[in-house]
Amino acid sequence: MPSSSSLSWISVRARLQRRPYARPGCQYLDTWNKWIYGSGWRGAAQKSPDGGALGSRWLTPPPRRDGVRRAGRWWADTGVAPAVGARESLSSAAYTGNGTFHIGWFPRSHEGCSLDLQGFVKALARRWPTVVVCLVLATGAALAATGLSTPVYEARTQLFVATRTGDDTAQMNQGQSFSQARVQSYAAIVTTRQVTRPVVEELRLRTTPEELASRITAVAPLNTVLIDITVRDTEPRRAARIANAVAQRFSAVVERLEAPKPAPGSKGSGKRSRTTGGASPVSLGVTQEAVAPAGPTSPRPLLNLVAGVLGGLLLGAGVVALRETLDTTFKTSEALGEFTTLPGLGTIPYDRTVPRQPLVSADNHSQRAEAFRKLRTNLKFSQVDQPPRIIAVTSSVPGEGKTNTAVNLALSLAEAGLSTCLVDGDLRRPCVASTFGLVQDAGLTTVLIGQARIEDVMQQAGDRLSILASGAVPPNPTELLASARMEQVLRELADTYEVVIVDTAPVLPVADTLGLASFAQGALLVVRAGKTSREQVRTAAESLDRVSVRVLGTVFNMAPVPRGNRYGTYGSYGELPAPRLSDPRKEAAAATRLVDEK
């Protein structure tokens, strides 16, 4: 028999059917058949060459050990199966209602969040203030840079390089080739000190030859004998004077460099023969003199504005993408369901009036009130064969609205005609009694320590809703909630009431819920939109699973209010029209007409 460690990441593709239980924990696996007697599943297993998922089909789950039969046929693709012998058991699988039969573990594909094009567009729409702030900042920076920049003007002049040749066509072509070969080298001479230093001295510029050279650009277009010289300066007229002076000095330097040198021992007199040795074969002529430019070339306000707008949009999109990638919270109930593989029993929209009015009444038809009624209905149909009598309402961390969810769920159940008992099991921060305006000093802890009976401290909040407050805050809430007396109290309440709702403490900060929830027949995990992270939900669900708590589903709380047509929302659709007073005279006239017709 192969070991359990060698069977990790098995992809099961089989038709599973109910089998009678054999020895618990006995496992057998061959190439095609896998029997897990501890959970009653039968199927065929096949391992992929790369260890990945080949897919699997599940049919007719087995009965649970408590004798309740879960009938039905489901076909689903479960992805990569957990290792045989892992702690998660196949018998704890939960049907999510969307055709997928999950095993109580979190798929690897849901460990991160992927951002496709549609999701990115939704993220931009959801985080539009971020995009607007980035756009305003980038546009403001562009306008500020434009206003603070010093205007720069450019003056251009053009030189033509010619060679002194005869009238012969061959000599002219040879001179043309000579000029084209030399012109690239000439362009590099424009920024040398031989050109810039005399210009600085001639124009009496308050700058150095090197600084002037940095503001001069010389370009020789390919396959031409032209040289374009551009000078940049903060004053337009000075830029033109510098460009013309540079052109004249550059022509003199090139002609002097190209002049043939006298041969050694040659006779000659005069200053010109000693310095140049003859006429230069190259001459440079100005084809276009520089004039004062009409406007600056830098800065360009329109170009800077367009660049600022585009940069702001790109920056905003980048910030949104980064925040969406780093943000591991849930924005939709669908994302929560895909991650946890638990059924989403309800989505409670955000309502800013909750701090002032936390309770929903029977005559309230707002979005929030209808959401709790929908949660009540989904909870009823989630476990039809064996509806849970004791339900624990918890969350991962504080501030997710678990108490408000428990209170309004109890009100909705009582509104439906079910005798309901709401127990405040959060002995560290009890809030149920204060929500209803009841006495908090006597309640659950008073019963647990034997100072009173349940009926003595039970308070009424309606015809069918009873409240068992927390009582005095004890020094050892974990031990009290995990005691045998607590289990006995819950059983007595379940015998008296049709539904018992227990508001518990958050799972992650304290261990109170893990001891209390094991006495319940199911738990609801409240997740706050945009706050609870994936890791927190994962850890809370795994903690509940380790103590064999059956999580009935999730409640997505404080979700953004959906925007759409008025039919899809309850803004006007759910509200009943106000009654109108009838007119006695119109009623008498209508009755007379009916009598005459008969």
Side-chain angles (χ1 to χ4, degrees):
M1 179 182 300
S3 62
S4 60
S5 60
S6 63
L7 303 178
S8 2
W9 305 109
I10 299 294
S11 175
V12 181
R13 189 176 187 84
R15 175 174 178 174
L16 302 181
Q17 59 186 8
R18 287 192 301 273
R19 298 292 297 178
Y21 289 109
R23 292 173 298 171
C26 180
Q27 301 174 354
Y28 174 73
L29 175 75
D30 57 13
T31 306
W32 299 102
N33 297 322
K34 180 172 72 173
W35 294 72
I36 304 181
Y37 295 100
S39 58
W41 289 85
R42 179 186 179 185
Q46 194 173 20
K47 186 176 181 180
S48 61
D50 56 353
L54 298 180
S56 59
R57 291 182 177 179
W58 306 85
L59 176 64
T60 312
R64 294 200 303 269
R65 295 183 182 275
D66 53 7
V68 180
R69 184 169 177 261
R70 302 180 66 178
R73 296 167 61 92
W74 297 282
W75 293 84
D77 183 9
T78 60
V80 181
V84 177
R87 193 188 180 284
E88 293 81 5
S89 63
L90 293 177
S91 60
S92 63
Y95 179 65
T96 62
N98 58 358
T100 305
F101 204 74
H102 298 283
I103 312 295
W105 53 281
F106 295 92
R108 186 175 298 273
S109 60
H110 295 149
E111 289 182 357
C113 55
S114 59
L115 193 64
D116 54 359
L117 180 59
Q118 183 178 4
F120 180 67
V121 173
K122 291 182 179 179
L124 289 177
R126 184 171 59 253
R127 299 185 183 273
W128 64 267
T130 301
V131 179
V132 172
V133 169
C134 293
L135 180 61
V136 171
L137 291 179
T139 305
L143 295 178
T146 302
L148 296 177
S149 300
T150 303
V152 176
Y153 299 87
E154 289 185 355
R156 293 182 178 85
T157 182
Q158 190 178 72
L159 300 177
F160 180 82
V161 180
T163 54
R164 296 186 177 93
T165 58
D167 297 335
D168 189 3
T169 305
Q171 293 181 357
M172 294 178 63
N173 292 335
Q174 185 178 2
Q176 179 73 12
S177 302
F178 175 80
S179 299
Q180 291 182 358
R182 293 275 195 168
V183 71
Q184 296 294 335
S185 300
Y186 294 159
I189 301 176
V190 178
T191 57
T192 59
R193 290 180 60 88
Q194 298 184 36
V195 178
T196 57
R197 183 174 181 179
V199 172
V200 171
E201 295 175 353
E202 178 183 353
L203 300 180
R204 298 179 181 180
L205 302 176
R206 296 180 180 180
T207 183
T208 61
E210 289 76 13
E211 293 178 354
L212 178 60
S214 64
R215 306 203 307 264
I216 299 175
T217 302
V219 178
L222 189 63
N223 297 327
T224 64
V225 291
L226 300 176
I227 299 178
D228 296 328
I229 300 176
T230 304
V231 177
R232 297 181 299 276
D233 196 84
T234 56
E235 296 182 4
R237 294 183 180 180
R238 187 169 59 189
R241 293 200 310 269
I242 294 175
N244 292 327
V246 168
Q248 294 177 2
R249 183 58 187 172
F250 170 65
S251 300
V253 171
V254 171
E255 291 178 3
R256 179 171 58 83
L257 293 176
E258 291 290 354
K261 301 299 184 291
S266 60
K267 296 181 180 181
S269 61
K271 182 178 179 180
R272 178 175 178 82
S273 63
R274 290 194 303 268
T275 57
T276 62
S280 172
V282 178
S283 63
L284 279 74
V286 178
T287 60
Q288 180 181 353
E289 292 186 355
V291 295
T297 58
S298 176
R300 299 180 180 179
L302 182 60
L303 181 61
N304 292 346
L305 180 61
V306 173
V309 171
L310 294 179
L313 293 177
L314 292 177
L315 178 62
V319 172
V320 168
L322 181 62
R323 292 185 62 181
E324 286 294 321
T325 303
L326 298 179
D327 187 6
T328 60
T329 59
F330 299 97
K331 303 300 183 297
T332 61
S333 58
E334 291 78 8
L336 175 61
E338 291 178 0
F339 179 77
T340 60
T341 69
L342 294 173
L345 298 181
T347 299
I348 311 301
Y350 174 77
D351 190 354
R352 64 181 62 185
T353 63
V354 171
R356 300 189 304 269
Q357 188 178 0
L359 303 179
V360 295
S361 57
D363 56 349
N364 191 348
H365 296 276
S366 63
Q367 282 184 307
R368 185 163 169 267
E370 295 297 336
F372 281 109
R373 296 186 180 100
K374 185 177 180 180
L375 171 61
R376 175 193 65 195
T377 304
N378 292 339
L379 185 61
K380 288 182 180 180
F381 285 96
S382 63
Q383 303 290 335
V384 179
D385 295 336
Q386 188 186 15
R389 301 286 298 275
I390 305 174
I391 302 174
V393 180
T394 185
S395 62
S396 303
V397 292
E400 299 189 63
K402 61 172 185 59
T403 300
N404 190 273
T405 301
V407 167
N408 288 285
L409 176 60
L411 287 172
S412 300
L413 292 172
E415 177 188 345
L418 299 176
S419 59
T420 307
C421 178
L422 177 59
V423 181
D424 193 351
D426 189 353
L427 302 184
R428 297 179 185 267
R429 295 181 180 179
C431 300
V432 174
S434 59
T435 303
F436 286 94
L438 302 177
V439 179
Q440 181 178 325
D441 296 335
L444 179 60
T445 56
T446 311
V447 175
L448 293 179
I449 62 178
Q451 291 185 356
R453 296 177 300 174
I454 298 178
E455 55 270 17
D456 296 336
V457 295
M458 189 68 67
Q459 304 179 63
Q460 297 296 322
D463 295 337
R464 293 183 174 271
L465 179 59
S466 302
I467 307 296
L468 182 59
S470 63
V473 178
N476 56 342
T478 304
E479 290 74 11
L480 283 179
L481 294 175
S483 62
R485 176 56 181 162
M486 183 66 197
E487 183 179 7
Q488 183 181 0
V489 170
L490 292 179
R491 289 182 179 179
E492 293 178 4
L493 293 175
D495 294 338
T496 307
Y497 299 92
E498 296 179 86
V499 182
V500 178
I501 304 297
V502 184
D503 177 31
T504 65
V507 177
L508 300 185
V510 293
D512 302 357
T513 303
L514 299 181
L516 173 60
S518 59
F519 302 146
Q521 299 174 357
L524 291 179
L525 184 60
V526 180
V527 177
R528 181 174 176 177
K531 179 182 178 181
T532 313
S533 65
R534 296 171 182 262
E535 187 62 28
Q536 290 172 342
V537 173
R538 180 202 302 270
T539 306
E542 290 178 350
S543 300
L544 294 174
D545 183 68
R546 277 194 293 267
V547 294
S548 302
V549 176
R550 182 178 61 174
V551 181
L552 302 176
T554 59
V555 179
F556 195 57
N557 196 24
M558 302 185 190
V561 179
R563 297 179 180 178
N565 53 23
R566 301 302 295 174
Y567 183 85
T569 60
Y570 287 95
S572 61
Y573 179 77
E575 295 292 342
L576 298 177
R580 294 179 297 178
L581 298 177
S582 60
D583 191 349
R585 291 177 296 179
K586 293 183 178 180
E587 291 183 356
T592 303
R593 285 196 302 269
L594 290 176
V595 172
D596 294 341
E597 291 177 358
K598 292 181 179 181

